[in-house]
Amino acid sequence: MGTSISFGTYEAEKIKEPWEKHQYRDVSKAFYTQSVNRMINKLNYCVTALTSLELHECYVDPDDKHNEFEPTVPKINYLSAVTIYLNNIGKIIGGERMLTEFKVIFDKNSPSSAREYKIDNSYPIRRKKENCVDGKELHNHVIKNKKIQFRNGNFYVIKTFHKYIKEASICNRRTDVNYTNMKVTENRDELNQLLGNLALLGGSIGFVEAKGAEVLAKGVEVFCYALDIEPKIGVAERMFPIKGPVHLDKLTTYKYFKAVQGEDLEFTQIERSAKERKSVPFDETDILEKLENFGLKIKK
């Protein structure tokens, strides 16, 4: 996601995300949908909530530290949860981002083969929330311009997340079930046919092929933490019906970056392949499972 601030006709310099200052960065991203209760005009409504969840694990060059392998290096992690809310007629009615920063250190007591990380309790967990612009304006930004606009002027350009949001908007408007219920149907052929019919009716929509969805059996608590759902409200009370959160199409992507200094002495992030990571093992652990292993959870 790119970030920028605009003041009228003046375009400010690009605002760098906090993770871009680090030398090395491993990124995992996944998408989720759920049905939640949301207060609108003093009335409680069931709405569809789509979330783009990103985990940025940042560290220094393990060779410079003379470590045998990277998993002994402390990491500063950033967990970004961007959520968009849609009503039952497919309109975007709001959105927000919760950014959580925390540090993990290598657990010396874990077996050498496990390479486990745990939360560093000496490092304070920092959390910051950004609210999106009002619903109608946000709807136009997201659907038409593929941008999520925040009230502080920041905006994010979205790609795959835009496809899911547009898919949910059309499904909520044109079907008799909400998007979350539709995505967890056991009949994948039936779902693909439904999406195909909607695409024909709506023109070139670009639906994401339905590869299957997975209702979270574990990791629900840490998922709620990432979205800043109050712990005093039970998860079951936030869901209607109890079919969520759902990991959309079981799709999690992994990318790896390093900071390179240019002639202007500024650092930019470039992507590197898994082969370039040398001693660093290829890690495809699910985001929520990884967060649970770290020990990141709601304090009761």
Side-chain angles (χ1 to χ4, degrees):
M1 295 181 181
T3 311
S4 177
I5 293 182
S6 178
F7 300 97
T9 58
Y10 171 72
E11 183 71 19
E13 294 183 4
K14 180 181 177 181
I15 304 299
K16 290 187 177 295
E17 294 282 16
W19 50 76
E20 294 184 15
K21 64 185 179 182
H22 295 276
Q23 185 180 15
Y24 281 89
R25 176 168 60 100
D26 297 348
V27 185
S28 47
K29 178 188 292 187
F31 304 95
Y32 302 86
T33 181
Q34 60 178 323
S35 296
V36 300
N37 290 323
R38 188 175 176 88
M39 194 68 68
I40 304 173
N41 296 329
K42 298 182 179 181
L43 293 176
N44 211 357
Y45 288 85
C46 173
V47 300
T48 301
L50 278 81
T51 298
S52 173
L53 190 65
E54 296 181 8
L55 176 62
H56 300 259
E57 301 176 76
C58 305
Y59 53 94
V60 297
D61 187 345
D63 294 334
D64 290 346
K65 289 291 184 180
H66 304 289
N67 289 308
E68 184 179 355
F69 45 72
E70 177 271 337
T72 62
V73 178
K75 296 180 179 180
I76 301 297
N77 290 350
Y78 302 91
L79 180 64
S80 173
V82 179
T83 301
I84 295 296
Y85 300 97
L86 300 96
N87 62 18
N88 63 346
I89 59 172
K91 294 291 185 181
I92 295 174
I93 58 173
E96 63 207 12
R97 180 176 89 150
M98 174 58 65
L99 181 63
T100 304
E101 176 187 342
F102 60 98
K103 182 180 180 181
V104 293
I105 53 177
F106 183 68
D107 185 1
K108 296 180 180 179
N109 296 321
S110 65
S112 58
S113 59
R115 302 190 179 108
E116 291 183 349
Y117 274 101
K118 296 297 181 184
I119 290 285
D120 182 356
N121 292 321
S122 66
Y123 188 92
I125 295 178
R126 301 180 176 93
R127 286 162 69 75
K128 179 182 178 181
K129 189 172 186 177
E130 294 179 276
N131 292 313
C132 295
V133 296
D134 292 336
K136 185 176 181 180
E137 181 182 356
L138 179 62
H139 183 90
N140 291 333
H141 277 300
V142 173
I143 300 298
K144 296 179 180 179
N145 304 323
K146 300 182 181 181
K147 292 181 180 180
I148 296 178
Q149 184 79 44
F150 293 89
R151 292 180 182 176
N152 60 7
N154 291 2
F155 69 84
Y156 298 91
V157 178
I158 53 177
K159 295 180 181 179
T160 303
F161 194 32
H162 173 263
K163 293 181 181 179
Y164 284 123
I165 294 171
K166 194 169 183 180
E167 182 176 291
S169 176
I170 293 172
C171 290
N172 279 15
R173 187 171 74 248
R174 295 184 177 178
T175 67
D176 57 354
V177 295
N178 69 20
Y179 181 68
T180 304
N181 272 347
M182 190 189 71
K183 290 295 283 189
V184 297
T185 179
E186 296 180 0
N187 190 329
R188 309 314 304 168
D189 292 335
E190 179 182 333
L191 176 55
N192 281 324
Q193 182 178 358
L194 173 60
L195 295 180
N197 290 339
L198 288 175
L200 289 174
L201 290 171
S204 179
I205 293 176
F207 281 116
V208 180
E209 182 181 355
K211 300 177 182 178
E214 180 179 40
V215 180
L216 299 183
K218 56 184 299 186
V220 174
E221 186 176 85
V222 74
F223 179 79
C224 292
Y225 178 89
L227 271 63
D228 195 35
I229 293 178
E230 292 293 335
K232 64 182 180 181
I233 300 177
V235 175
E237 296 173 354
R238 303 281 297 200
M239 312 284 176
F240 178 80
I242 310 301
K243 283 190 177 179
V246 177
H247 187 182
L248 284 170
D249 296 332
K250 303 178 184 178
L251 175 65
T252 302
T253 58
Y254 306 88
K255 290 186 176 182
Y256 310 95
F257 298 86
K258 63 181 177 181
V260 177
Q261 192 172 29
E263 295 180 357
D264 57 358
L265 303 181
E266 292 290 329
F267 284 93
T268 58
Q269 294 268 326
I270 63 172
E271 188 174 352
R272 58 181 179 147
S273 67
K275 292 181 179 179
E276 291 180 291
R277 301 172 77 236
K278 298 179 181 179
S279 60
V280 184
F282 191 73
D283 185 4
E284 289 193 358
T285 306
D286 176 75
I287 297 177
L288 298 179
E289 180 181 349
K290 186 176 291 187
L291 293 173
E292 278 196 331
N293 292 339
F294 290 159
L296 186 69
K297 59 184 179 181
I298 297 174
K299 293 183 179 180
K300 299 296 185 180

